[in-house]
């Protein structure tokens, strides 16, 4: 019976570490990393807003954000038509040039593939959440209006 104790302890430790790694992975699952190869397809998703953070690893202002972006992603989890993404401009320079990123961090909202807003306010989860909800509502309304105009032309 004494020989079974170490294997039981090892099993418990293994299960605990697997559960911990699962929870740690899920904590960041709300923020989607976008790259040059995935960015266009993702932000073009129909009727979906993307709130994207553009940063570089060496930027002190980006580092000072701490877990703010992950907290925002977690806060936005229940919003079906809003995704939170991030782009590392250090490894995706052509993409960041294409979307005209001139300073770090930069925060932009895209809707149906088009940039609709840039966030320049206080770096606060609730303020950023309110901003992206309002901008998404405006963009969705504009898309509906545009569709109605197109339908009238038929």
């Amino acid at each position: 019976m004494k020989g079974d104790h170490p294997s039981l302890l090892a099993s418990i430790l293994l299960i605990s570490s697997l559960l911990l790694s699962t929870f740690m992975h899920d904590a960041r699952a709300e923020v989607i990393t976008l790259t040059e190869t995935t960015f266009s397809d993702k932000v073009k998703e129909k009727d979906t807003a993307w709130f994207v953070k553009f940063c570089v690893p060496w930027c002190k202002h980006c580092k000072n954000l701490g877990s703010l972006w992950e907290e925002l992603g977690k806060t936005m989890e229940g919003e079906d038509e809003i995704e939170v993404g991030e782009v590392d401009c250090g490894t995706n320079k052509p993409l960041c040039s294409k979307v005209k990123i001139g300073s770090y961090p930069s925060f932009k909202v895209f809707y149906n593939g088009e940039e609709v807003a840039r966030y320049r306010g206080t770096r606060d989860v609730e303020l950023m959440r309110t901003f992206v909800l309002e901008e998404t509502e405006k963009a969705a309304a504009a898309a509906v209006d545009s569709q109605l105009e197109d339908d009238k032309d038929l």
Side-chain angles (χ1 to χ4, degrees):
M1 198 141 191
K2 281 187 177 183
D4 291 341
H5 184 65
S7 74
L8 177 62
L9 182 58
S11 297
I12 291 171
L13 287 174
L14 177 63
I15 290 168
S16 297
S17 67
L18 288 171
L19 287 172
L20 182 60
S21 68
T22 300
F23 290 127
M24 288 175 68
H25 176 71
D26 286 346
R28 274 192 50 88
E30 293 80 16
V31 176
I32 299 165
T33 299
L34 302 170
T35 65
E36 286 181 69
T37 55
T38 62
F39 182 83
S40 289
D41 287 341
K42 290 291 188 183
V43 299
K44 287 180 183 174
E45 290 175 355
K46 186 157 176 46
D47 300 327
T48 300
W50 280 84
F51 196 17
V52 183
K53 171 185 79 168
F54 297 87
C55 266
V56 288
W58 48 261
C59 169
K60 74 175 185 174
H61 301 293
C62 295
K63 289 177 185 176
N64 288 341
L65 291 173
S67 62
L68 175 112
W69 203 245
E70 286 77 20
E71 290 172 32
L72 178 67
K74 199 157 195 59
T75 300
M76 300 305 297
E77 190 176 276
E79 301 297 331
D80 289 337
E81 284 119 24
I82 301 174
E83 299 288 348
V84 178
E86 64 185 0
V87 174
D88 178 345
C89 291
T91 56
N92 296 282
K93 289 177 187 172
L95 168 59
C96 294
S97 292
K98 183 179 177 182
V99 295
K100 297 178 176 71
I101 301 302
S103 62
Y104 306 109
S106 288
F107 308 95
K108 292 189 174 193
V109 179
F110 298 85
Y111 190 82
N112 288 347
E114 300 293 323
E115 179 183 332
V116 294
R118 182 177 189 147
Y119 184 78
R120 297 178 193 264
T122 304
R123 294 173 186 160
D124 171 82
V125 171
E126 199 50 46
L127 292 174
M128 294 176 106
R129 179 182 181 280
T130 300
F131 171 82
V132 73
L133 288 170
E134 289 172 357
E135 292 302 323
T136 299
E137 190 174 313
K138 286 184 215 171
V144 168
D145 290 345
S146 176
Q147 184 61 46
L148 290 174
E149 286 298 315
D150 290 348
D151 290 348
K152 282 182 188 176
D153 293 341
L154 295 175

